[in-house]
Amino acid sequence: MSGWAVVLGASAGTGAAVATHVARDPGLHVFGVHRGRYVEGAHAVEAEVRAAGREVVMRTADAGTAEGAEQGADALLAAAGKRSVRLVVHSIASASVGRLVHGERTVVPRQVEKTFDAMAHSFLYWTQALVARELLAPGAQILGLTNPLSESTLHNSGLIAAAKGALEMYVRHLAMELGPMGHRVNLLKFGTVVTPALRHVFDEGAMRRVEAVHARMIPAGRMVTLEEVAAFVAVLCKPAGAWFNGATIDFTGGMTQHLLDLVMYPEAGGGALW
Ligand SMILES: NC(=O)c1ccc[n+]([C@@H]2O[C@H](COP(=O)([O-])OP(=O)(O)OC[C@H]3O[C@@H](n4cnc5c(N)ncnc54)[C@H](OP(=O)(O)O)[C@@H]3O)[C@@H](O)[C@H]2O)c1
């Protein structure tokens, strides 16, 4: 498959894994954007994309604003040309955590605006900028990423959950608007994956606890890997994925489905009925 993948947040975590995977399969060139906090990660992605025989442009800029989207799309047009983009993955993680009302870390308007800009509105701004420049190839897949916070609450994560809710609505409406042009807009939902950012937040002991909790929550008994997420994104941008549109695709491995079991039968690891 020829064409370009646009990966917003390409220097670390999910974005980096997707960028390197889609360069190998289905063989897309990569236009990545990041702000420069993971320079080594960005270099590693560039090297892997080139090793796969594909072109790579790694832009260091803020992709989480309307201006960032306009300028990024101009740079993309100059590098790739019209109707060249087959896949867009919005993998920006930049959010404030804290309580909504009570406690010392109550989120303030500046944090609310920044989180919504980076995690939700920028998905819309990039889509608008790409469409305005006719950058999307026929059948292009535009993908947002989300997590199970939409169906279960997690302490201090109300703002992220709210931004993900907005992202989901953008996905649905953009899917209706862009569907007649042949494009697809979807949201991929997956559970916690181990990324450099997560390792930064949790020490080794905490990471072991995170893994143990997920092993209980997910019927397969383990967390999903970045490579598994990236491999599924590669499927989505091929013709086999073309019938998904406006969908929130559950790739959580059943992560939240037996939370009630876990609460009711903790001593049996949530497995009393199964
Ligand atoms: N990790 C998980 O467990 C998980 C699970 C489900 C869904 N997701 C979703 O997957 C997406 C990616 O999460 P992740 O955990 O993979 O993130 P991550 O490892 O923290 O990486 C985030 C990437 O985004 C870049 N970035 C952040 N703000 C940016 C901005 N304003 N402009 C340009 N680049 C920016 C970062 O580089 P710079 O900081 O240098 O810019 C980095 O390349 C998020 O939407 C997240 O909600 C994650």
Side-chain angles (χ1 to χ4, degrees), residues 8-15 33-38 61-64 90-94 118-119 145-147 164 190-193 195-197:
L8 309 174
S11 62
T14 317
V33 189
H34 66 100
R35 293 168 307 172
R37 289 193 310 146
Y38 304 98
D62 190 350
H90 184 278
S91 189
I92 293 175
S94 179
M119 305 287 277
L145 304 178
T146 192
N147 52 41
K164 291 297 186 188
F190 53 99
T192 319
V193 273
T195 61

Side-chain angles (χ1 to χ4, degrees), residues 43 45 69 98 106 139 141 148 169 188 217-218 241 248 257 269-270:
H43 288 328
V45 170
T106 305
Q141 174 77 243
M169 290 308 123
L188 182 62
M217 275 193 294
I218 299 171
T248 299
Q257 287 182 23

Side-chain angles (χ1 to χ4, degrees), residues 167-177 185 245-248:
L167 179 65
E168 187 165 6
M169 290 308 123
Y170 282 140
V171 164
R172 287 192 199 175
H173 285 262
L174 287 168
M176 294 307 109
E177 289 193 33
V185 189
N245 199 24
T248 299

